[in-house]
């Protein structure tokens, strides 16, 4: 900041000018309104604070008017949006704490550290609530695989995710990966974490209790990550490479110490409130904790542990150095907390106190350098309702007629091509870099429909299972943002149901372009409406989430990507079933009817014809619920051996997936399914409410009877085994070629 001849000790004290505010990302009216309310000029420390908390990343100022319409309450919800993570009751005085969050801009600039610190940040969001993290997932978006930068970004981001999670000793149990030209200049990394907490051990980010002491705990503060929040709230351009200093540097071993120290400190009963220093660092934690408690705060910034010489209040308040927490300690019990952190060899320094009033006062060597009302940068941040405008080509794109296309002569070749598609092929090259077995809780590992971890219970008691998945069909959301978002919730619902679990809650990560462009705001608002509609229909409240806007480079926005992380519960983890066939001779059922015309916006249409148009599949909520209920009932009765939902790539790809397990392959022969219409539609349509099931041959009659008695359609049957994957009368693949193609789809992207 000190590009002039001013001394470092002085420049941050001077009064800010309008151009300083604009350079920091504040809008002219926002800056003028702040000055009017204060009745004085801002200094440079204050303009940095205001810009950070007014940023889209921290304030959600462009989406709050829409987000308030999402369903956030339910009988199991203990804590909804507004805290560091959502909390849902799972019985027996236990609750799961979970959240998904973006680290998109940092990852594009510095992929290893950007992705790694995304994992670190989401873990802190979970354990600051008092929960021990049990599982991680991630959702990734990268550009076309032929782009020169894509392999580098992918490999480094995956390495960063794996390194941080593995070093922390927390299993990465699932994820999602998609490639498209729209992400060439703006990749996405969304990180999810889930933890377990007892009801009476839930902590919140409140600066409560006048006279209580405020402690800084964890790693020392450096200059990394300054302006991270504002950088994440603006579009990229040709200068984005120069923003590397705004990317945080993570240390997972320090975070492991911080995790254990925080959980130990919480057991003392001396902590009143706690919050991690995430986006905007000390700025967000200080003001947000004071806002929640409706109190004032005094902070002595010169007491903050620093790892670099000559740091000043501006840098300390805006640094996003990792592995740090702000803790409010009950007066008189400070030594208990100091002793805990000393045991873990971490800093725990008294830097301030909770006071009466509603101001945050910042001191530097006993000199007051800032005094602003908490509400000025929290509840008073303006909420924008930007104009929405449906794109001109929207209806034309949806009206695309698939019958105008000739069916391929060789459906087997089209099928094999899809198996090698980077969006449908095996993800083993990715998840082999993650430890999914550590802590020995993982029941269903990466590669299935949903991951499942067991909640360990005392001997003789049933061990519950918690299922989790992340899903978003970005093609659908580009074709129709509202319907596409709803279909993404439906896909999550099917994935959770396919392992035998009942959905209990959602965390969302809304990745979009600029809200200030009418077409972009239309996508955002429509996507949120679709999420709300579907989460209500599936009775899965949205209890946490994140908004990541301005995902654009040189004016080119990403595809709308409202990522859905859904969590489910199964009362007995031993009942869960995998997605892959387990035994030769088992009987196969295809549950659900196919609409052969529903290939609009499909992976098949894009792969085979290079066309990204048409209407996504219809969504029948009643049928989805009825079908999923029956699937869960069959799993609970121990009648199914495997279950896999049918989604991207249609029946043909789902059948192949079921055959091509992570570590083994099995052939399958399916009878000619019942259908009318296009043959390629039968194979590759992405119609919803469908599953590929397998059961022991001796249970086939019982399964068939239960499904037909429920009024649901069985459209094909078959047998596991053999050296081919065949859909009778339509197409077949040799098991060897299918496996080779499927497992080679990401070749060349990791070195």
């Amino acid at each position: 900041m000190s590009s002039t001849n001013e001394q470092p000790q002085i420049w941050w004290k001077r009064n800010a000018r309008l151009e300083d505010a604009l350079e920091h990302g504040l809008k002219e009216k926002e800056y003028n309104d702040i000055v009017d309310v204060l009745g004085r000029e801002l200094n440079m420390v204050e303009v940095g604070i205001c810009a950070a908390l007014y940023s889209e990343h921290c304030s959600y100022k462009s989406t709050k008017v829409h987000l308030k319409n999402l369903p956030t309450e339910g009988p199991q919800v203990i804590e909804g949006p507004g805290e560091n993570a959502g909390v849902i009751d799972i019985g027996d005085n236990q609750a799961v704490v979970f959240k998904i969050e973006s680290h998109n801009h940092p990852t594009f600039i510095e992929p290893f550290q950007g992705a790694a610190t995304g994992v670190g940040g989401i873990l802190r969001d979970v354990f600051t609530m008092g929960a021990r993290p049990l599982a991680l997932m991630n959702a990734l978006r990268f550009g076309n695989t032929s782009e020169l930068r894509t392999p580098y970004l992918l490999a480094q981001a995956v390495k960063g995710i794996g390194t941080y999670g593995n070093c922390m000793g927390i299993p990465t149990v699932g994820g999602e990966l998609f490639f498209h030209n729209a992400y060439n200049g703006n990749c996405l990394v969304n990180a999810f974490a889930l933890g377990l907490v007892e009801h009476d051990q839930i902590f919140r980010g409140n600066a409560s209790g006048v006279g209580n002491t405020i402690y800084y705990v964890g790693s020392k503060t450096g200059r990394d990550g300054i302006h991270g929040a504002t950088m994440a709230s603006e579009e990229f351009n040709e200068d984005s490479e120069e923003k590397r200093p705004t990317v945080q540097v993570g240390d997972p071993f320090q975070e492991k110490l911080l995790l254990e120290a925080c959980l130990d400190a919480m057991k003392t009963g001396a902590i009143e409130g706690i919050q991690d220093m995430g986006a905007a660092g000390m700025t967000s934690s200080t003001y947000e904790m004071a806002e929640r408690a409706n109190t004032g705060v005094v902070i002595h910034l010169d007491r903050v542990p620093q790892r670099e010489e000559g740091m000043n209040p501006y840098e300390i308040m805006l640094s996003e150095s990792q592995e740090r927490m702000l803790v409010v300690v009950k007066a008189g019990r400070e030594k208990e907390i100091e002793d805990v952190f000393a045991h873990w060899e971490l800093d725990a320094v008294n830097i301030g106190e909770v006071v009466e009033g509603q101001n945050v006062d910042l001191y530097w060597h006993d000199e007051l350098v800032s005094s602003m009302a908490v509400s000025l940068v929290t509840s008073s941040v303006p909420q924008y309702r930007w104009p929405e405008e449906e794109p001109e080509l929207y209806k034309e794109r949806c009206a695309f007629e698939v019958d105008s296309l000739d069916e391929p002569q060789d459906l087997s070749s089209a099928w094999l091509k899809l198996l090698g598609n980077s969006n449908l092929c095996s993800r083993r090259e990715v998840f082999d870099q993650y430890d999914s077995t550590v802590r020995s809780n993982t029941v269903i590992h990466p590669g299935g429909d949903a991951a499942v971890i067991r909640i360990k219970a005392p001997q003789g008691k049933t061990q519950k299972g918690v299922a989790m998945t992340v899903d978003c069909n970005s093609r659908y959301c580009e074709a129709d943002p509202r319907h596409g978002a709803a279909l993404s919730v439906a896909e999550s619902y099917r994935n959770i149901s396919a392992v035998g679990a009942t959905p209990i809650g959602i965390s969302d990560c809304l990745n979009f372009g600029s809200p200030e462009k009418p077409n972009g705001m239309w996508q955002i608002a429509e996507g949120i409406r679709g999420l709300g509609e579907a989460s209500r229909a599936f009775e899965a409240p949205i209890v946490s989430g994140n908004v990541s806007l301005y995902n654009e480079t040189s004016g080119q926005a990403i595809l709308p990507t409202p990522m859905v992380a859904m969590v489910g519960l199964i009362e007995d983890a031993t009942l869960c079933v995998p997605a892959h066939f387990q035994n030769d001779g088992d009987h196969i059922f295809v549950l659900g009817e196919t609409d052969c015309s529903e290939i609009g916006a499909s992976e098949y249409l894009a792969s085979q014809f290079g066309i990204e148009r048409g209407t996504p599949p219809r969504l029948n909520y009643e049928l989805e619920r009825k079908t999923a209920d029956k699937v869960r009932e069959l799993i609970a009765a121990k009648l199914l051996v495997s279950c896999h939902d049918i989604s991207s790539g249609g029946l043909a790809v789902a059948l192949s997936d079921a055959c091509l397990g992570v570590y083994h392959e099995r052939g399958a022969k399916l009878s000619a399914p019942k259908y009318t219409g296009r043959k390629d539609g039968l194979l590759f349509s992405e119609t919803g409410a469908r599953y590929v099931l397998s059961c022991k041959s001796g249970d086939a009659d019982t399964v068939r009877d239960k499904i037909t008695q429920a009024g649901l359609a069985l459209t094909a049957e078959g047998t596991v085994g053999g050296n081919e994957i065949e859909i009778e009368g339509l197409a077949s693949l040799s098991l060897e070629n299918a496996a080779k193609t499927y497992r080679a789809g990401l070749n060349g992207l990791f070195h």
Side-chain angles (χ1 to χ4, degrees), residues 220-232:
K220 290 177 170 57
T221 293
R223 290 187 171 95
D224 53 319
I226 294 175
H227 298 311
T230 51
M231 180 266 289

PDB file of all heavy atoms in Angstrom, residues 220-232:
ATOM      1  N   LYS A 220       1.045 -17.643  14.407  1.00  0.00           N
ATOM      2  CA  LYS A 220       1.316 -16.206  14.365  1.00  0.00           C
ATOM      3  C   LYS A 220       0.777 -15.595  13.069  1.00  0.00           C
ATOM      4  O   LYS A 220       0.551 -16.290  12.076  1.00  0.00           O
ATOM      5  CB  LYS A 220       2.817 -15.962  14.486  1.00  0.00           C
ATOM      6  CG  LYS A 220       3.376 -16.268  15.879  1.00  0.00           C
ATOM      7  CD  LYS A 220       4.889 -16.071  15.916  1.00  0.00           C
ATOM      8  CE  LYS A 220       5.415 -16.125  17.354  1.00  0.00           C
ATOM      9  NZ  LYS A 220       5.088 -17.376  18.055  1.00  0.00           N
ATOM     10  N   THR A 221       0.595 -14.288  13.093  1.00  0.00           N
ATOM     11  CA  THR A 221       0.051 -13.564  11.943  1.00  0.00           C
ATOM     12  C   THR A 221       1.174 -13.097  11.025  1.00  0.00           C
ATOM     13  O   THR A 221       2.170 -12.524  11.488  1.00  0.00           O
ATOM     14  CB  THR A 221      -0.763 -12.347  12.425  1.00  0.00           C
ATOM     15  OG1 THR A 221      -1.924 -12.816  13.114  1.00  0.00           O
ATOM     16  CG2 THR A 221      -1.201 -11.469  11.256  1.00  0.00           C
ATOM     17  N   GLY A 222       0.992 -13.359   9.730  1.00  0.00           N
ATOM     18  CA  GLY A 222       1.931 -12.872   8.720  1.00  0.00           C
ATOM     19  C   GLY A 222       1.214 -12.011   7.703  1.00  0.00           C
ATOM     20  O   GLY A 222       0.059 -11.626   7.894  1.00  0.00           O
ATOM     21  N   ARG A 223       1.889 -11.740   6.612  1.00  0.00           N
ATOM     22  CA  ARG A 223       1.304 -10.863   5.588  1.00  0.00           C
ATOM     23  C   ARG A 223       0.580 -11.644   4.497  1.00  0.00           C
ATOM     24  O   ARG A 223       0.122 -11.049   3.520  1.00  0.00           O
ATOM     25  CB  ARG A 223       2.392  -9.988   4.967  1.00  0.00           C
ATOM     26  CG  ARG A 223       2.941  -8.925   5.929  1.00  0.00           C
ATOM     27  CD  ARG A 223       3.890  -7.959   5.236  1.00  0.00           C
ATOM     28  NE  ARG A 223       4.234  -6.839   6.089  1.00  0.00           N
ATOM     29  CZ  ARG A 223       5.332  -6.772   6.859  1.00  0.00           C
ATOM     30  NH1 ARG A 223       6.180  -7.809   6.871  1.00  0.00           N
ATOM     31  NH2 ARG A 223       5.562  -5.714   7.607  1.00  0.00           N
ATOM     32  N   ASP A 224       0.472 -12.959   4.622  1.00  0.00           N
ATOM     33  CA  ASP A 224      -0.205 -13.735   3.580  1.00  0.00           C
ATOM     34  C   ASP A 224      -1.716 -13.572   3.690  1.00  0.00           C
ATOM     35  O   ASP A 224      -2.280 -13.451   4.770  1.00  0.00           O
ATOM     36  CB  ASP A 224       0.176 -15.222   3.667  1.00  0.00           C
ATOM     37  CG  ASP A 224      -0.044 -15.824   5.045  1.00  0.00           C
ATOM     38  OD1 ASP A 224       0.270 -15.144   6.030  1.00  0.00           O
ATOM     39  OD2 ASP A 224      -0.529 -16.964   5.126  1.00  0.00           O
ATOM     40  N   GLY A 225      -2.358 -13.533   2.540  1.00  0.00           N
ATOM     41  CA  GLY A 225      -3.821 -13.489   2.507  1.00  0.00           C
ATOM     42  C   GLY A 225      -4.424 -12.115   2.625  1.00  0.00           C
ATOM     43  O   GLY A 225      -5.646 -11.981   2.655  1.00  0.00           O
ATOM     44  N   ILE A 226      -3.606 -11.062   2.706  1.00  0.00           N
ATOM     45  CA  ILE A 226      -4.182  -9.718   2.809  1.00  0.00           C
ATOM     46  C   ILE A 226      -4.999  -9.427   1.554  1.00  0.00           C
ATOM     47  O   ILE A 226      -4.557  -9.667   0.431  1.00  0.00           O
ATOM     48  CB  ILE A 226      -3.075  -8.664   3.015  1.00  0.00           C
ATOM     49  CG1 ILE A 226      -2.411  -8.880   4.383  1.00  0.00           C
ATOM     50  CG2 ILE A 226      -3.625  -7.251   2.914  1.00  0.00           C
ATOM     51  CD1 ILE A 226      -1.218  -7.984   4.659  1.00  0.00           C
ATOM     52  N   HIS A 227      -6.197  -8.926   1.751  1.00  0.00           N
ATOM     53  CA  HIS A 227      -7.169  -8.646   0.678  1.00  0.00           C
ATOM     54  C   HIS A 227      -7.768  -9.914   0.078  1.00  0.00           C
ATOM     55  O   HIS A 227      -8.343  -9.872  -1.010  1.00  0.00           O
ATOM     56  CB  HIS A 227      -6.561  -7.803  -0.454  1.00  0.00           C
ATOM     57  CG  HIS A 227      -6.093  -6.455  -0.008  1.00  0.00           C
ATOM     58  ND1 HIS A 227      -6.864  -5.604   0.736  1.00  0.00           N
ATOM     59  CD2 HIS A 227      -4.904  -5.818  -0.203  1.00  0.00           C
ATOM     60  CE1 HIS A 227      -6.176  -4.503   0.987  1.00  0.00           C
ATOM     61  NE2 HIS A 227      -4.989  -4.602   0.441  1.00  0.00           N
ATOM     62  N   GLY A 228      -7.651 -11.036   0.756  1.00  0.00           N
ATOM     63  CA  GLY A 228      -8.214 -12.276   0.222  1.00  0.00           C
ATOM     64  C   GLY A 228      -9.707 -12.193  -0.003  1.00  0.00           C
ATOM     65  O   GLY A 228     -10.227 -12.651  -1.023  1.00  0.00           O
ATOM     66  N   ALA A 229     -10.450 -11.603   0.934  1.00  0.00           N
ATOM     67  CA  ALA A 229     -11.909 -11.525   0.814  1.00  0.00           C
ATOM     68  C   ALA A 229     -12.333 -10.627  -0.331  1.00  0.00           C
ATOM     69  O   ALA A 229     -13.270 -10.934  -1.073  1.00  0.00           O
ATOM     70  CB  ALA A 229     -12.515 -11.025   2.127  1.00  0.00           C
ATOM     71  N   THR A 230     -11.618  -9.487  -0.480  1.00  0.00           N
ATOM     72  CA  THR A 230     -11.994  -8.584  -1.571  1.00  0.00           C
ATOM     73  C   THR A 230     -11.577  -9.168  -2.912  1.00  0.00           C
ATOM     74  O   THR A 230     -12.279  -9.023  -3.904  1.00  0.00           O
ATOM     75  CB  THR A 230     -11.356  -7.191  -1.370  1.00  0.00           C
ATOM     76  OG1 THR A 230      -9.954  -7.345  -1.132  1.00  0.00           O
ATOM     77  CG2 THR A 230     -11.977  -6.478  -0.189  1.00  0.00           C
ATOM     78  N   MET A 231     -10.430  -9.864  -2.954  1.00  0.00           N
ATOM     79  CA  MET A 231     -10.002 -10.509  -4.195  1.00  0.00           C
ATOM     80  C   MET A 231     -10.999 -11.569  -4.639  1.00  0.00           C
ATOM     81  O   MET A 231     -11.244 -11.767  -5.833  1.00  0.00           O
ATOM     82  CB  MET A 231      -8.608 -11.127  -3.996  1.00  0.00           C
ATOM     83  CG  MET A 231      -8.033 -11.838  -5.210  1.00  0.00           C
ATOM     84  SD  MET A 231      -8.376 -13.600  -5.192  1.00  0.00           S
ATOM     85  CE  MET A 231      -7.322 -14.153  -3.864  1.00  0.00           C
ATOM     86  N   ALA A 232     -11.626 -12.245  -3.663  1.00  0.00           N
ATOM     87  CA  ALA A 232     -12.606 -13.286  -3.974  1.00  0.00           C
ATOM     88  C   ALA A 232     -13.962 -12.699  -4.358  1.00  0.00           C
ATOM     89  O   ALA A 232     -14.900 -13.442  -4.618  1.00  0.00           O
ATOM     90  CB  ALA A 232     -12.763 -14.225  -2.792  1.00  0.00           C
TER      91      ALA A 232
END
